Amino acid sequence: MLTRLSIRNIVLIEALDLDFVRGLGVLTGETGAGKSILLDALGLVLGDRAETALVRAGESKASVTASFEFASLPVSVAEALDDADMDIEPGEPLLIRRQVKADGGSKAFINDQPASVALLRELAPALVELHGQHDDRGLVNPRGHRMLLDRYADIDLGALEGRWKNWATAEAKLAEARHSQEQAKLDEDLLIAHLAELTTLEPAVGEEEQLAGQRSDMQKGEKLAGELEDLRHIWEGSDSPLASLRVAARKLDRIAPEHPMLTEALAALDRAVIEAGEAEDKLEGAARALVHDPAALDAAETRLFELRAMARKHRCDVDALPELMVEMRAKLDAIEGGDAELGTLESAARDARDAYLKTAEKAQAARAKAAKVLDKAVAAELAPLKLDAARFQTSITTLPEEKWGAHGMDAAEFLIATNPGADFAPLAKIASGGELSRFILALKVALAEKGGAATIIFDEIDRGVGGAVASAIGERLARLASAEGQLLAVTHSPQVAARGAMHYMIAKASSGTVTKTSVVLLDQIGRQDEIARMLSGAEVTPEARAQADRLLEGI
């Protein structure tokens, strides 16, 4: 709940610190005293737009700090803070501070950690619920009506959400499989043709490198054939250099013992014969290796060109063609087995839909039952609030399937008819300002103890009503505060003000050209004086004081 509100330099408020407790707190004061300034200041920490006009004249900036305390953080608040990576210690107050600069711009902080305005707006619904004559949120907004009805009916949406996710997942898998199958069938003929080509070609890993090597060797042999033939003629025959060296070696062998130099010459000549012999062997080996068969060369080139053309066609390397064949066969096998898989997925999706539908229908029945109880509860509150001719109805409609979701298959909206015979219509379109506030109060009383924001604020809910109705409003506000924990009411009605557990008086005072708004927490005597003023006007009469005493004593 809201425990403290500190305001600095907001419009007419120079410095103000207000402490709040549980129960009903009332704020009173003359028209124009500045009650709306307090609500504007509170709106800043709840993410409202930061208008530079809110900064007090002559000041460079303004700030508002609100402190909220909880036995444990509301789940939505804890989740939002966790998503924003903000650490709040258990039991630690939630301090929201907003600064506004006179020259534009604003900053927000949560427990002194920088925060976005979007985060403040996300937290706001769980912190403060504001109802006024021009309220376009809260109970007036039909977007929240189903949630309120579900809370009233104690519907646990966890199972329904789980069934919805299961169905959505099953449908997604089915859609993906159908798309893949349709695409595969479109490609089936092409796959068969491509696989037939590859099967005929029978590519092998490493074949390109082997063929390229063979082709290169044969092309070299073709180029060197003439030179090798000339060399063969030089090395062959009795007059070849090698034969001459051998003859010379034999002759030298006979005379070598005659002189050491001859012996050395013979050794050198023997080495030359050996080297020449090795050269001859190498030449013969090269000739054999480089021999080329034109038909074999043509066959190698043809095969190599076919492999490379196929690789270009499929935009891959030649060595990747065998793996491509495996993939194509797998795709064709998948197409053949795809119908069976689709049947399994379709069955799973039907089962998931049936499970969701069963749970959604159960929630729908619970909503319909709770709606009747809620309609009676609200109807019982209308007559005391001078809305005797009005009727209230909770409308539940089944949505088209494409709009079903984790919440179920229903839309819920609170409708009213203010005159006999009139058609039911949305709250905001039918009720006048005063009627709307009273309808909201009746609805809040009927929904009491079913949870809501930590703090509820009613802004001038008693405008335009007489004493008996104001008394009924005050009694219901007090009852609602007892159920909800904390409720603040801005009021002009003494009957409502008398119900407050805490009473704040808002006053405006001028000194020269400076005007300031102040807020005072009244004691018992102060409350008597303020309620007497509300009863009698500017001049407080003894009769007004006596009536104020009776109001306070009658609570």
Side-chain angles (χ1 to χ4, degrees):
M1 68 175 185
L2 178 66
T3 56
R4 187 175 180 83
L5 185 65
S6 297
I7 303 172
R8 299 291 183 269
N9 299 321
I10 295 290
V11 193
L12 300 179
I13 299 176
E14 182 177 21
L16 181 63
D17 294 293
L18 290 176
D19 292 313
F20 299 96
V21 296
R22 297 179 68 84
L24 175 61
V26 295
L27 295 92
T28 64
E30 295 183 359
T31 301
K35 294 184 291 294
S36 62
I37 300 175
L38 287 177
L39 298 181
D40 290 340
L42 184 58
L44 282 176
V45 298
L46 299 176
D48 286 354
R49 183 177 178 180
E51 300 283 355
T52 56
L54 291 173
V55 181
R56 181 176 167 80
E59 300 294 336
S60 61
K61 64 180 180 180
S63 68
V64 181
T65 303
S67 176
F68 296 88
E69 295 186 16
F70 307 92
S72 60
L73 282 176
V75 174
S76 61
V77 173
E79 290 177 348
L81 293 175
D82 185 59
D83 290 342
D85 293 326
M86 288 198 172
D87 297 324
I88 306 297
E89 294 295 329
E92 182 181 6
L94 185 68
L95 299 176
I96 302 179
R97 177 162 54 95
R98 185 89 178 273
Q99 292 180 346
V100 183
K101 294 182 178 180
D103 57 359
S106 71
K107 294 181 180 180
F109 303 87
I110 296 178
N111 288 44
D112 293 326
Q113 302 173 67
S116 67
V117 176
L119 177 58
L120 301 190
R121 293 194 190 104
E122 187 176 356
L123 298 178
L127 300 178
V128 176
E129 188 177 317
L130 175 62
H131 300 291
Q133 297 191 55
H134 306 290
D135 183 19
D136 59 355
R137 299 170 297 177
L139 297 180
V140 176
N141 191 336
R143 294 179 61 181
H145 291 178
R146 182 178 53 224
M147 180 188 68
L148 290 169
L149 180 61
D150 287 349
R151 189 183 298 159
Y152 185 77
D154 289 326
I155 295 176
D156 181 6
L157 296 178
L160 183 57
E161 183 177 358
R163 298 283 192 275
W164 165 255
K165 288 181 178 178
N166 290 341
W167 181 26
T169 300
E171 288 290 349
K173 289 181 178 179
L174 176 59
E176 183 180 359
R178 280 174 175 164
H179 176 74
S180 298
Q181 185 75 348
E182 289 171 2
Q183 190 62 42
K185 289 197 179 226
L186 290 175
D187 297 339
E188 185 175 15
D189 292 340
L190 188 60
L191 277 172
I192 292 173
H194 285 168
L195 186 57
E197 288 179 341
L198 286 168
T199 302
T200 301
L201 189 61
E202 289 187 301
V205 176
E207 187 179 5
E208 180 188 25
E209 183 179 0
Q210 180 184 0
L211 287 171
Q214 292 175 357
R215 174 173 172 258
S216 176
D217 287 344
M218 286 188 284
Q219 286 176 334
K220 289 176 183 178
E222 184 179 31
K223 181 179 179 182
L224 298 175
E227 285 82 352
L228 289 173
E229 183 63 24
D230 291 342
L231 285 171
R232 187 177 63 80
H233 286 306
I234 292 173
W235 286 97
E236 290 180 352
S238 58
D239 57 347
S240 68
L242 181 55
S244 298
L245 284 173
R246 287 171 176 163
V247 170
R250 286 193 295 271
K251 290 182 178 180
L252 186 56
D253 182 56
R254 289 195 295 270
I255 62 174
E258 301 298 330
H259 194 278
M261 294 292 289
L262 293 175
T263 303
E264 293 178 4
L266 177 60
L269 190 56
D270 285 341
R271 290 195 298 272
V273 171
I274 293 172
E275 292 291 335
E278 291 180 357
E280 185 180 34
D281 292 340
K282 297 293 184 184
L283 285 171
E284 290 177 356
R288 287 193 300 272
L290 294 173
V291 67
H292 74 284
D293 178 358
L297 176 60
D298 183 64
E301 288 183 334
T302 300
R303 176 69 176 175
L304 186 60
F305 293 157
E306 287 177 347
L307 288 170
R308 289 177 174 172
M310 188 66 70
R312 285 194 300 273
K313 180 176 182 179
H314 293 287
R315 298 179 182 179
C316 66
D317 296 331
V318 172
D319 282 348
L321 290 175
E323 179 62 27
L324 183 62
M325 293 175 63
V326 174
E327 293 176 2
M328 288 181 176
R329 289 192 181 100
K331 288 182 179 179
L332 287 172
D333 291 342
I335 293 173
E336 293 176 0
D339 291 338
E341 181 185 3
L342 280 179
T344 301
L345 291 174
E346 286 171 351
S347 177
R350 281 194 302 271
D351 291 344
R353 182 185 185 279
D354 291 344
Y356 168 80
L357 193 58
K358 183 177 180 180
T359 307
E361 288 173 345
K362 184 177 179 181
Q364 186 179 60
R367 286 170 180 148
K369 182 178 179 180
K372 293 180 180 179
V373 177
L374 178 61
D375 291 351
K376 291 181 180 179
V378 174
E381 297 294 330
L382 295 180
L385 296 175
K386 204 177 179 180
L387 294 169
D388 312 61
R391 292 169 293 147
F392 177 87
Q393 181 185 80
T394 303
S395 171
I396 300 175
T397 56
T398 302
L399 296 169
E401 186 167 331
E402 62 270 16
K403 292 187 177 181
W404 293 358
H407 50 74
M409 55 186 186
D410 307 318
E413 185 174 4
F414 300 143
L415 305 177
I416 60 170
T418 55
N419 298 306
D423 294 332
F424 283 96
L427 287 171
K429 292 185 177 181
I430 295 297
S432 64
E435 288 176 329
L436 180 59
S437 295
R438 281 177 278 152
F439 264 113
I440 290 173
L441 177 58
L443 186 54
K444 283 300 297 182
V445 170
L447 291 169
E449 299 183 359
K450 293 301 180 180
T455 299
I456 301 173
I457 299 177
F458 279 94
D459 182 18
E460 299 187 2
I461 191 175
D462 48 30
R463 180 183 290 254
V465 300
V469 177
S471 181
I473 290 174
E475 186 274 329
R476 280 156 179 77
L477 288 174
R479 191 198 324 163
L480 186 58
S482 175
E484 297 286 351
Q486 185 183 53
L487 189 148
L488 301 175
V490 178
T491 180
H492 290 287
S493 168
Q495 289 86 354
V496 173
R499 290 279 182 174
M502 298 187 74
H503 189 153
Y504 303 88
M505 185 181 72
I506 304 171
K508 181 169 65 176
S510 299
S511 177
T513 59
V514 178
T515 301
K516 295 182 181 181
T517 290
S518 61
V519 181
V520 178
L521 176 61
L522 300 178
D523 58 16
Q524 188 65 19
I525 295 176
R527 292 191 68 191
Q528 181 191 50
D529 290 343
E530 174 63 3
I531 293 174
R533 180 199 64 77
M534 297 171 73
L535 287 165
S536 63
E539 182 180 352
V540 178
T541 64
E543 291 79 4
R545 289 186 184 278
Q547 180 63 20
D549 286 340
R550 285 193 291 272
L551 285 176
L552 290 169
E553 290 171 359
I555 301 304

